[in-house]
Each structure stands twice: as C-alpha cells, then as structure tokens.
Amino acid sequence: QSVLTQPPSASGTPGQRVTMSCSGSTSNIVTNFVYWYQQFPGTAPKLLIYRNNQRPSGVPDRFSGSKSVTSASLAISGLRSEDEAFYYCATWDDNLNGQVFGGGTKLTVL
Amino acid sequence: QVQLQESGPGLVKPSETLSLTCSVSGLSITSNYYWVWFRQPPGKGLEWVGSIHHAGSVYYSPSLKSRLTISVHTSRDQFSLRLNFVTAADTAVYYCARGSHDYGDVWGRGTLVTVSS
C-alpha cells in the first residue's frame, strides 16, 4: 500500500494529451515538493519533473507538472509511442520523515 | 558527466547482511548533494531506502531503519549500504543516486540482489 495514490494505468493515442494523477495528504504533498520519474522496463528511473513543475535539462516541454493542495498531476502533450513507460510520483512525508512514492502508472500509447 | 555505479554480491542468504557500494565519478562526493539509495522489488514499484550527506546528515526509511546503515567514504568517492538480517522481502534491484534528501536526479543502472539460501 503506497502512501501516494496513482491510477495503475493510463492510455492515449499519438498526438493526444494525457494526464495522470498523484493523490497524497497534508503530511506530504501539501507541504513538500512533488517529483515525477519515468521508467522503462529494465532500466533505471529518470527524473522527469522536480519541485512540482520544473523540467531537468533535456526533458521536452511536452511534459509538465502541477500541484494543487493534496494532489499533483503529470501531463504529457503530443503523445508519442516512446512515451510508453511507467510514471512514478514522489515527495517527502513529514510524519514518516522520509521519501514516499506512488505505486506508479503504466502509460500505454494505443 | 556524473555517473554512479552500484557493486556488490548478487546473492545473499537469509538472515545475513546485504552490502552494496556506489562509486561516483565525474563529481566529488563532498559536493553539496545527498547520496541516495532506492530499491525496486521485481515487478513492483520504487521504494526509498535512505539518503546521506557527506557532512553527516542521514535519513533512513522508517521501515528499514533498525537494520540499515548508510555511510559515505570520501577518500574513495563512494557511499555504501548495509542491511542486516535480510529476508526474501529484501530481494530487489537496488539503485544509488545523486540528489537531495527528497529526490534523486542522477541514477546508477541498478543491481539485482536476491535473498535466497
């Protein structure tokens, strides 16, 4: 049981805009930054979004992050087949005094 | 560029100690970053293990804290993880990363550690 809640799956067609959610609580998302990671099977995760909505160098601006009270969202516009991957949200939890993750969303490009 | 590489035994017996080392290149481990361990059981999601700063600050996962030690070895630009009294539930791909206490921005490729007799 993950501290952050993500839908297990999402899908879209090429060119479409998709969003995926990450739900938390007052001890984590409300008071801390949210991070998003992209992971392809068999490879290490890659930091996609940091500090709620910032993109590391090299991440296309098709990827965007947002946060609202106890939840966060990752949006991908202009969906491409190579975006098919697992996406994880993460943040710090003040009660647990540690990083917490969502269970991950598997994105399928139809 | 910054690179991290995990190393250590791929097989550990139950009740024994899992020891891994992460070698950092392209950046001094005394830089102002945290050095982080994550893990991912086969077919499951990501889990944070712990984070350490060379100046002494360290954070451990509450669920692992009683069995876990993370250390920094500044002379070798390495940091390490020791997890005692392992069980099958500790079987996972272990990743080391650079980052802060609350994220990792450069990750190693990961190493699979299996706990089995």
Side-chain angles (χ1 to χ4, degrees):
Chain A
Q1 190 81 1
S2 302
V3 174
L4 304 179
T5 301
Q6 296 183 254
S9 63
S11 63
T13 56
Q16 202 173 16
R17 183 177 187 269
V18 296
T19 61
M20 51 194 83
S21 62
C22 174
S23 178
S25 69
T26 54
S27 66
N28 45 64
I29 287 183
V30 169
T31 52
N32 295 287
F33 290 123
V34 176
Y35 301 86
W36 290 89
Y37 299 91
Q38 177 189 57
Q39 186 181 33
F40 299 105
T43 69
K46 170 188 170 183
L47 182 66
L48 201 62
I49 297 289
Y50 68 99
R51 295 188 178 180
N52 303 332
N53 55 18
Q54 302 300 301
R55 285 185 306 278
S57 174
V59 174
D61 59 7
R62 302 187 297 108
F63 295 90
S64 61
S66 62
K67 189 177 91 166
S68 177
V69 194
T70 59
S71 67
S73 293
L74 174 71
I76 309 173
S77 60
L79 196 63
R80 298 182 178 184
S81 58
E82 56 260 38
D83 298 332
E84 189 164 287
F86 287 88
Y87 293 85
Y88 294 92
C89 62
T91 187
W92 188 261
D93 189 285
D94 295 326
N95 287 348
L96 298 173
N97 202 34
Q99 284 190 48
V100 291
F101 280 89
T105 296
K106 182 178 181 181
L107 175 64
T108 300
V109 181
L110 302 170
Chain B
Q1 75 274 27
V2 181
Q3 291 185 315
L4 295 92
Q5 176 69 58
E6 305 87 354
S7 60
L11 181 65
V12 181
K13 290 182 168 57
S15 81
E16 296 191 344
T17 297
L18 182 162
S19 295
L20 294 174
T21 297
C22 182
S23 299
V24 180
S25 60
L27 182 71
S28 171
I29 206 164
T30 59
S31 301
N32 193 26
Y33 289 98
Y34 276 77
W35 305 97
V36 191
W37 286 101
F38 298 93
R39 71 180 186 178
Q40 185 171 34
K44 297 188 178 180
L46 296 167
E47 179 184 5
W48 170 74
V49 174
S51 306
I52 190 167
H53 192 278
H54 74 90
S57 179
V58 60
Y59 298 92
Y60 290 146
S61 166
S63 64
L64 300 173
K65 188 173 184 177
S66 63
R67 301 189 290 129
L68 180 64
T69 303
I70 296 177
S71 306
V72 169
H73 313 286
T74 56
S75 63
R76 302 195 298 268
D77 279 329
Q78 293 177 334
F79 63 107
S80 63
L81 170 156
R82 285 176 58 86
L83 186 64
N84 300 324
F85 306 112
V86 296
T87 69
D90 296 310
T91 294
V93 175
Y94 286 76
Y95 296 99
C96 63
R98 180 194 79 170
S100 185
H101 67 286
D102 60 347
Y103 74 93
D105 65 347
V106 180
W107 292 56
R109 297 179 67 175
T111 186
L112 174 63
V113 179
T114 301
V115 178
S116 174
S117 55

